Amino acid sequence: MKIVVLVKQVPDTETNIKVGDKSINEAGVKWIISPYDEFAIEEGIRIREKSGGEVIAISLGPDRVVEALRTAYAMGVDRAVHVKVDDYVTFDSTYTSELLANFIKAENADVIIGGRQSIDTDSSQVVVQIAERLNVPHVAMALKLEFDGNKVTATREIEGGTEVVETSAPLAVTAQKGLNEPRYPSLKGIMSAKKKPVDVKKPDELGATGSKLEVVSLEPPPPRIAGRKLEAADAQGFASQLVKALREEAKVI
Amino acid sequence: MADVLVVGELKNGELKKISKELTSAARKIADAIGGKVHTLIITDNVDAFAGDLKAVGADAVIGANLGEFSPEGYANGIFAVIQEKKPAVVLMPHSAQGKEYSARVAIKANAGIVADAVALSVDGGKVVAKKPIYSGKAYANFKVSSDIQMFTVRANSQEVTPKDGAGAVEKSGASVGEVRTKSLSKDLSGGNKVQLADASIIVSGGRGIKGPENWPIIQDLADTLGAALGASRATVDAGWISHSHQVGQTGKTVSPNCYIACGISGAIQHLAGMGSSKYIVAINKDGDAPIFKVATYGVVADLFEVVPALTSEFKKVLG
């Protein structure tokens, strides 16, 4: 099996974001692998451990994404590819999916796995778009994957529960929490990851046709409705005040 | 013509609120760019929904019988309608299903797409979509430069405004085409009575509920309000409730009108999932808990006393 895992580098949730006109101020931002992509890397490695083959990690972004690829190496992937683009390009899912799909097509991969969404844009688009571009089936929100040759049986999350589906490789998968427990990179893994090569690609080498989104502006989040702490002598007092506030002021209940 | 196509959604044979929200939003866009609003509903019984959608601005209500949900089948069917109607703008729900078929539809139509938009406006004949990024710590405005502009839109983010459209009813002959993923079985037993993703009220419990045996206190309030039951990561990780209830970064992102957080301290990952709720109520013993920084109404008190009192008070006024 040839497996491609999609790795996106995103700001850590705890990090403080300073918003500029069309980009954020990156000073002081802590970058991590998007948490769902860790499940994707782990699953890629587990499939290889069972079925043999090769796991390739690919990441789009500026030079700093190499750190994310080193972490993927330390976890156990076999090859790493860095597609060098500006960070805001990765907001355009159709452009991103085109670059990735062109790479994956050339590699003739059997399985493509990414997180169910990246935690910077929460778009949930790229992996399924790649499936469409490669004309292969997909399983979104996978909780369990089993391969029997090319036959794939998967359990996935759906609205209100779970679904068991059957399909076949080549296919694309999005990883949901619960698919596995990502391993921690070993010290030995981390040390050897530092020396491993990262293959650098430029967008024009991958033959993408260009961006379809324009970033008009960035802005800070809208101010919240001013909050207040209610004062009451007892639970009953709190309850009646809250009911009044929600029905008469907020008019939401 | 610069028409707008809306993909609506049904749940158990009923129109979901998002279908009206998107039709209403589409009406505003169509009026600004000079076009018609077509709302597509995947059903063999489109007549049942035409009135409701006409009342919020649909000029045409299209029914396509695509059977049980499959992302590929829906994408094929929706794309067939796009080819027929040639809209300038397509609005789809950022729902569990919408996320899947929209990605395929965008590629089929060679369109740019902004996913999870929370506000839509028109500038120079093009739609500007606003979406939260970086866990809601910034908002980005995008325009789509392709001929067809596509958007998935977050539930509860759009106002429903009454406005009469022509409301013509059409039946589309679109078909599902080739579907390569076969559903073998579904298990809906562990789920929520009310879906989190599009609930207008959510009552959530956190570590403050102390143990799984205390969920009924939270569930009673949710049931009284017709709300969905949410949970913090701590309660899910402790095994007190299934992951399908989790709100937050590794759970669901929600934007209800009202979010009632009971015994939730408000870790940043939780705020990332519910911070865009319109009104937030926090009930927590610890007055310094970070949840109070985002709460519209803060109640510093014991949830075991306040939540049952609140339930009985609501029962009284809601009858």
Side-chain angles (χ1 to χ4, degrees), chain B residues 46-102:
Chain B
V46 62
D47 298 287
F49 311 106
D52 279 351
L53 293 166
K54 178 191 173 181
V56 290
D59 294 312
V61 183
I62 309 162
N65 187 9
L66 304 176
E68 279 273 295
F69 174 70
S70 75
E72 283 184 86
Y74 270 36
N76 292 337
I78 292 163
F79 180 58
V81 174
I82 289 172
Q83 282 178 305
E84 194 188 320
K85 299 292 173 191
K86 300 189 168 47
V89 177
V90 180
L91 305 183
M92 293 169 274
H94 195 68
S95 59
Q97 296 185 354
K99 286 174 199 174
E100 283 193 68
Y101 61 69
S102 63

Side-chain angles (χ1 to χ4, degrees), chain A residues 47-63:
Chain A
I47 296 168
R48 183 201 58 202
E49 284 170 348
K50 263 193 176 167
S51 316
E54 184 186 24
V55 185
I56 308 165
I58 185 166
S59 188
L60 268 75
D63 288 335

Side-chain angles (χ1 to χ4, degrees), chain A residues 13 15 36 116 120-121 123 132 135-136 138 156 162-164 166-167 214 216-217 219 224 230 249, chain B residues 100 102 104 130-131 134 137 139 141 143 145 180 182-185 187 249-251 275 277 297-298:
Chain A
T13 314
T15 218
Y36 296 105
R116 74 161 218 226
D120 54 352
T121 60
S123 293
E132 180 64 30
N135 192 23
V136 299
H138 76 264
R156 70 186 209 102
T162 57
E163 181 183 28
V164 180
E166 188 181 278
T167 189
E214 180 197 340
V216 178
S217 59
E219 54 189 73
R224 285 213 62 85
L230 304 179
E249 260 176 40
Chain B
E100 283 193 68
S102 63
R104 286 189 179 267
K130 189 191 294 277
K131 67 169 279 171
Y134 305 128
K137 281 183 267 187
Y139 279 61
N141 293 298
K143 277 186 186 173
S145 54
R180 293 161 294 189
K182 195 170 105 189
S183 178
L184 299 181
S185 63
D187 177 3
Q249 191 143 70
T250 45
S277 306
Y297 301 112

Side-chain angles (χ1 to χ4, degrees), chain B residues 78-161:
Chain B
I78 292 163
F79 180 58
V81 174
I82 289 172
Q83 282 178 305
E84 194 188 320
K85 299 292 173 191
K86 300 189 168 47
V89 177
V90 180
L91 305 183
M92 293 169 274
H94 195 68
S95 59
Q97 296 185 354
K99 286 174 199 174
E100 283 193 68
Y101 61 69
S102 63
R104 286 189 179 267
V105 168
I107 299 308
K108 285 177 195 290
N110 196 23
I113 184 165
V114 179
D116 198 23
V118 297
L120 301 163
S121 56
V122 175
D123 173 46
K126 286 273 189 181
V127 175
V128 180
K130 189 191 294 277
K131 67 169 279 171
I133 53 171
Y134 305 128
S135 315
K137 281 183 267 187
Y139 279 61
N141 293 298
F142 293 103
K143 277 186 186 173
V144 179
S145 54
S146 53
D147 291 342
I148 304 182
Q149 307 159 61
M150 291 198 177
F151 307 91
T152 71
V153 182
R154 193 182 282 191
N156 294 317
S157 69
Q158 307 298 307
E159 298 281 338
V160 176
T161 317

Side-chain angles (χ1 to χ4, degrees), chain A residues 47-88:
Chain A
I47 296 168
R48 183 201 58 202
E49 284 170 348
K50 263 193 176 167
S51 316
E54 184 186 24
V55 185
I56 308 165
I58 185 166
S59 188
L60 268 75
D63 288 335
R64 59 172 153 69
V65 307
V66 171
E67 285 167 41
L69 290 168
R70 298 254 176 246
T71 306
Y73 259 141
M75 285 173 77
V77 306
D78 303 292
R79 271 162 65 194
V81 179
H82 171 205
V83 183
K84 220 168 165 170
V85 293
D86 171 75
D87 207 38
Y88 287 89

Side-chain angles (χ1 to χ4, degrees), chain A:
Chain A
M1 290 263 186
K2 190 183 263 190
I3 304 141
V4 173
V5 294
L6 312 177
V7 180
K8 191 169 185 188
Q9 195 186 42
V10 299
D12 185 283
T13 314
E14 313 257 358
T15 218
N16 193 15
I17 298 281
K18 289 188 203 82
V19 181
D21 180 33
K22 285 200 182 182
S23 60
I24 59 162
N25 180 351
E26 290 198 4
V29 172
K30 187 186 166 206
W31 297 91
I32 58 166
I33 291 176
S34 186
Y36 296 105
D37 294 351
E38 292 186 359
F39 301 119
I41 299 170
E42 176 65 34
E43 197 65 16
I45 295 166
R46 287 189 191 194
I47 296 168
R48 183 201 58 202
E49 284 170 348
K50 263 193 176 167
S51 316
E54 184 186 24
V55 185
I56 308 165
I58 185 166
S59 188
L60 268 75
D63 288 335
R64 59 172 153 69
V65 307
V66 171
E67 285 167 41
L69 290 168
R70 298 254 176 246
T71 306
Y73 259 141
M75 285 173 77
V77 306
D78 303 292
R79 271 162 65 194
V81 179
H82 171 205
V83 183
K84 220 168 165 170
V85 293
D86 171 75
D87 207 38
Y88 287 89
V89 166
T90 67
F91 279 40
D92 184 348
S93 56
T94 61
Y95 184 46
T96 304
S97 69
E98 191 181 14
L99 290 169
L100 292 167
N102 288 353
F103 172 81
I104 294 162
K105 195 182 250 170
E107 288 285 344
N108 213 4
D110 302 291
V111 186
I112 302 119
I113 317 182
R116 74 161 218 226
Q117 66 195 69
S118 61
I119 64 157
D120 54 352
T121 60
D122 297 315
S123 293
S124 306
Q125 287 281 321
V126 168
V127 181
V128 181
Q129 286 187 8
I130 290 171
E132 180 64 30
R133 288 183 185 281
L134 299 176
N135 192 23
V136 299
H138 76 264
V139 174
M141 306 282 277
L143 296 166
K144 193 174 173 193
L145 273 183
E146 278 170 49
F147 287 82
D148 177 5
N150 278 346
K151 202 181 103 181
V152 180
T153 309
T155 304
R156 70 186 209 102
E157 188 177 311
I158 56 169
E159 203 170 278
T162 57
E163 181 183 28
V164 180
V165 296
E166 188 181 278
T167 189
S168 60
L171 88 165
V173 177
T174 79
Q176 166 65 323
K177 183 184 179 186
L179 180 62
N180 53 47
E181 276 299 326
R183 67 194 67 189
Y184 287 105
S186 64
L187 187 62
K188 191 171 154 240
I190 293 168
M191 295 313 288
S192 68
K194 286 182 181 169
K195 292 181 213 123
K196 292 193 171 158
V198 173
D199 187 10
V200 180
K201 301 262 184 208
K202 287 183 182 144
D204 50 1
E205 287 173 62
L206 293 170
T209 50
S211 175
K212 289 190 170 67
L213 286 198
E214 180 197 340
V215 181
V216 178
S217 59
L218 293 192
E219 54 189 73
R224 285 213 62 85
I225 301 163
R228 69 168 202 264
K229 282 187 183 161
L230 304 179
E231 297 292 338
D234 56 13
Q236 190 52 48
F238 277 123
S240 53
Q241 268 200 55
L242 200 49
V243 169
K244 198 163 183 261
L246 291 173
R247 284 173 62 81
E248 292 171 20
E249 260 176 40
K251 298 190 169 65
V252 283
I253 292 170

